[in-house]
Each structure stands twice: as C-alpha cells, then as structure tokens.
Amino acid sequence: MDNWRKNPRVFWILSAPPALWLLGFFLLPLALIWAYSFGHKEGIIGIAISWTPDNYLRALDPLYLQIFLKSFWFAGMTTAVCLIVALPVSLAITFAPARWKALLLVLVILPFWTNLLIRTYALIAVLRTRGFLNAGLESVWDSVDGVARAVGLDGLGAFTPPQLLYNNFAVVFGLVYVHLPFMVLPLYAALDRMDRSHLEASLDLGAGQFRTFFSITVPLAMPGILSGVVITFIPALGSFLTPDLLGGTESQMIANVIERQFKSANDWPFGSALSFILMYITFFALALRAFFSRGRSAMDT
Amino acid sequence: MNNAMNNAIVQVRGAVKTFAGVATAVDHVSLDIFEGEFFALLGPSGCGKTTFMRMLAGLEIPDRGEILIDGRDMTGVPPNRRPVNMVFQSYAVFPHMSVLANIAYGLKVTGVGAADIRRRVDEALQLVQLGGLEQRMPAQLSGGQLQRVALARALVKRPRVLLLDEPLSALDAKLREAMQLELVKLQHAVGITFIIVTHDQQEALSMADRIAVMEKGKVRQVAPPAELYEYPRSYFVADFIGKMNLFHGRASGDGAVAVEQLGEIKIPGNSSAGRVGIAVRPEKVKLFRDAPRPGFTAFKSTVDNIAYHGSESYVFATTESGAAIAATVQNESRDSKLPAVGDSIWCGWRAEDTLVLEE
C-alpha cells in the first residue's frame, strides 16, 4: 500500500465509497447552494438561477454587516478566552505525572460525550435568574450581609440576581464552554512534543519561570497555538445553537440569520449567499494560517 | 598543581536521589571538585552520572545530602540563581532564535546592558570560532556548530562551573576527536572548572584531570586518568576502563592468591584473606617461546586467535588449565614476528604488574 500506482485496483476499491459519499452528499449540495446564491425566488417554492449578484450586494447592507461583525467579535472573544484558559490547563496536563495524563485528557473531552443541546440546556439551568450560579452568589451575598450586620454595619440589603442569561455574556460563556477542548487538545499536543531541555536551558541561563514561559514555551508552542486558534475560531464563527438558546435579541450571530433565511423567511438564495460569504471568510482564515506556518517552516530550514 | 587546585569549588556531601518506582539514581555520593579542574563523571548508561550533574545545575533536587558550590549551600537555590551553566546533550539551542539571540539570551534575561552584551557575545563567538554566523538560525547549522553555540551560550555567562552533559556523543568520530582537544584548550583559556559527563572512557581519559567512575549510583573510584588505568581498585573499574584480563580468586593473606582456572600466584604487596579479583592489562602480558625467568607470572598456553589492528595485534591464548588470556603485541617493525594459531607459547607478566582488586 506504500504506492497506490503499483496497485491501482486496491486504491480505487478502497477510495470509491468515501469519494462517492463526499461527491453525492457534500460537493453536489454545496455546488447547489453556490448556484442558489446567484438566484432569485420565483413563486413560493421556486428558485430561478439567474446569476444575479443581488444576494451578495444585499448582504453588504449595514444590518447584515453588523451581524457579521458581531459574529467576529463573539468568535474572537471566545477564541481569546479559550486561549487564556487553555494555556495553563494544557501546561498542567503536559507536566502532570504520566499516570494522570490520560485521565486528565479524558476529563477535557468528557463534555463531548453529552449531546450539545443537552449541554446547552444545562448551561441555561446554571445561568438563569434563579439558576445555580445566582444561587451560589446569593448565598455568598447573604453570608457577607450577615457578617456585616453582626459587626454592626449596615449590611448589603436584599440580593438582586444579575441577568446572566439571554445576553452577549451568555453567548460568549456558552461558546467558550463548547469550544475549550478544541483549544486544549492542539495546545497539549504541541507542548507535549516540545523538547523539555529547551525550558531547562532557559532556566539554567538565568531566566525565571515567567520569562521562560513567554520567551521559550509560547514561541515553541506557536504551531499548536495557531492550530487551536483556527479550529476554535472557525466553528465559533458559524455557531448557531448557542446564540439561539443562550442569546437575547441583540446577540444574534450570522448563522442564526442564515437559519432564518432557509426556514421562516424562506429566502434560500439570500441564505445561500450568506453561507458562502461565511465560507469565504473561513477559507481566508485558513489561508492566513497556512501563510504563517509556511513562514515558520521556512525559518526552520 | 597550585593553590587554586586545592580550593574545592563543588562540594557534595552524601547526596541521594531516588526516582519513584526506579532504583536509587544517586546513592550517597560525596565528592570534591577543585577550582580550575577538568573533571569527568564516567560510567555506563543508567549509573546516575547525568542525574548527579543535573543536581549540580539545580534541575534535580536531591532527596538527602548537601551541595555547596563556591562555598554556598545550594539547597533551595533554583537553577537560574546558581553560578553554573550547562551544555545539554541535545544542545537545546533555541530553534526560534538566531545564533546571536541564543548567545545573548542568558545576559539579556539577567539585565546586562546592551553594549556589554554585544561585547561579551563577540568575545564568546571568537572563543568558539563562530564569527560570521551570528545571524544564522539554528536549523542552518551543523551539529558541530550547534554545539559551539551551546558552549558559547553557557560560557558567555562566565559561570564558576561549566557542566557538559555528553557533549560529544552526537558528533561523528573525527569531529569528536577534534572537539576533545578543543575543549581542553578552551578550558585552559577560560580557566573555568569543567565537569563533563561521559560514557566514553577514551574521552574521559584523554580530557580530564580527574575522573570519577560511577556504577549503580555510587562513585567507585576518583583518580587521575593514569592512576585509574594503572591502579583500578575494584573489579568493576578494572573491567570498565580499557582492556583487561580478569580473574576471580581467593587471597590467603600471606601474599598468595588461589586464582580460578590459573592456580596459585604471588601478588605484589599483601592482601587480607578473602575473595579478590586478579587482573592484568593485555599490554603487560609478554609472549615467550620457553618458560621465562623468575619474577614473571607465566603460564604455558596455546594460541587460539590473532586479531590484527595495524599498530598492534591482539593474541588470544588459553592456558593449560583452561583460562583465557589476551596479550597486546606492538607491531614495532614491518617484519614483527607473531606466533601462529595453534602454537605452544608461554604467556607471562612481571609479578608487580598483577592487580589485586576488591570484588
């Protein structure tokens, strides 16, 4: 199997089913959507492909541009928070005793074993006005209040639970929760591969732990950081369920608009155009990553 | 040599290091290493020599015992605050920094001024003959050049002690020999104490002022190269350093030893009664046609095999009592006569060349 040219029959037999699958259920529908994006509605269910750029021009309307920007903002915040949380987590796993590593990695991917919808509803239970988080805050508030009264101060008054759900905070919170494993795993892979003697050399040369982290660990883990950023940012950008369930009217992301076009608004051509704009942006992000990693590998050789 | 030599710069007292689930890596090691010395830690892999060196660097914390460097107790002192620097076996040259940035790193992180850094880095580059390569990235360098970067990066810090962990093991044979010589010259030039870890006895013998032979976490013998070679104290050291004919025996306590497969021989000096090792270097073994004069410990033997090595030949023989003896014969002239396989000869050595070893 080292060279399929030597044995083309085996190659074709093995590759035909997945190739046909991809062709029939991915590439063809995608081409159809692409064609729709240049069409217009005809009647209630008909779509005429007239190669008009109208749908793309309509997407440039400030209303939609704003939602695109908001999606970028949410995805960017999510990626940044994931990176900040995931770096210490993956460092801790990397330097954990060998017998703990497997368990810790299982804990990281454990949420994947539960359906995303259920996980998101669980978050609602945590974040809602009378949810677990507010209940916890309230008990802290009450005890502080009790202590204050006991020492003769005025006390804090009644607890008014902050609104944690159905706003932008809830969306980013939910997105971070969903995407954190996507950041931890590539970071861990990069850190674990790293030659420890580089860190020891840095310490030996007089650098402290923080200096070593920023001057040596982070640059050496950069390929993993880039991978983590890309595979967190891209799905976060196209998120649909999280803003739908956790967000308010002001926290709609572009995927929610796309969904509405295909369902309630029944405007498939416009929904197709929005989908493809999102895809072009994704391709651009991937190209950017390829560009940066090429720069790095050119430096290495 | 001089007063400086008597000044112990590294003092280790009863150092112990055990890794969870593994045997004791360093087992009650006490050692003094003197200022300006080229000191080698020699032993087979897994003998604890690298762990011992990493304890000096602060990269391993000893379970027990104390380490003093330059008179200062190193307990609780992190690696970045110790007056030692290390050349790692893998060199550990930072791949994302130029040669210049690599060498300057250790000065930069400790707040040395820019002009000072530039001057000292230039000096270090000259010292290891890397001038002109400052802007190169590590991936553009050969193994030998990477090693020079690692050396310069450590030396530029002007440490009290330079630690070298198997520094030559990744180089090819020819380069290795050249670097051995260069390291010795470098050490004389900078006057810093060098401590080198190696499993290569030739390397240790040719470079070091003194050698500590380690086995299973313990230091077996500390001595200058010639003493280590000519007067090994234990069976392990005799076996590990150079080629050796080795036998087991039992000393009677009155100057004689009953040697397995050889019979009773006289030994130089005296040895208390008990089990001992008996050894003789192959180059001390002479071949005779007839029984040699008294003063030689000699056995009638048959030649089994002859291995030609150019400047010398190894003659392998078996005594009548069944013991195997190897002799090194210098090929001093082109027509040097060697015995033939199957010849009956006498293998013998001067009685004072017999070594009596601790079992």
Side-chain angles (χ1 to χ4, degrees), chain A residues 195 197-209 211-212 215-216 219-220 296 299-301, chain B residues 54 59 79-80 84-86 88 90 92-97 105-106 109-110 137 139-140 153 157:
Chain A
D195 184 352
S197 62
H198 287 128
L199 307 185
E200 292 179 345
S202 172
L203 292 175
D204 183 70
L205 289 168
Q209 294 286 355
R211 181 77 195 223
T212 299
S215 297
I216 309 295
L220 290 183
R296 293 187 63 80
M299 196 181 74
D300 287 348
T301 48
Chain B
R54 288 170 59 83
L59 298 170
N80 51 333
V84 303
N85 285 107
M86 186 154 164
F88 288 79
S90 62
V93 173
F94 306 131
H96 59 296
M97 293 184 192
Y105 182 81
V109 296
T110 42
M137 296 306 286
Q140 300 168 299
R153 189 175 67 175
K157 297 275 296 175

Side-chain angles (χ1 to χ4, degrees), chain A residues 91-133:
Chain A
L91 267 178
I93 300 176
T94 306
F95 290 99
R99 61 206 158 94
W100 285 98
K101 274 190 187 180
L103 180 70
L104 291 171
L105 284 172
V106 167
L107 286 179
V108 168
I109 57 166
L110 198 62
F112 284 146
W113 298 2
T114 312
N115 181 282
L116 174 62
L117 197 60
I118 295 171
R119 274 186 284 153
T120 310
Y121 275 113
L123 270 188
I124 293 178
V126 172
L127 294 177
R128 69 181 169 209
T129 316
R130 289 283 155 202
F132 300 126
L133 199 55

Side-chain angles (χ1 to χ4, degrees), chain A residues 58-114:
Chain A
R58 195 177 146 204
L60 296 177
D61 184 291
L63 174 70
Y64 298 112
L65 279 184
Q66 210 185 339
I67 294 177
F68 266 113
L69 276 180
K70 185 149 223 166
S71 305
F72 267 94
W73 169 244
F74 282 163
M77 280 292 284
T78 302
T79 309
V81 175
C82 278
L83 186 60
I84 291 166
V85 176
L87 257 176
V89 171
S90 37
L91 267 178
I93 300 176
T94 306
F95 290 99
R99 61 206 158 94
W100 285 98
K101 274 190 187 180
L103 180 70
L104 291 171
L105 284 172
V106 167
L107 286 179
V108 168
I109 57 166
L110 198 62
F112 284 146
W113 298 2
T114 312

Side-chain angles (χ1 to χ4, degrees), chain A residues 123 126-127 133 168-178 242 246:
Chain A
L123 270 188
V126 172
L127 294 177
L133 199 55
N168 295 347
F169 164 80
V171 174
V172 173
F173 188 92
L175 288 178
V176 167
Y177 169 65
V178 170
T242 311
L246 303 180

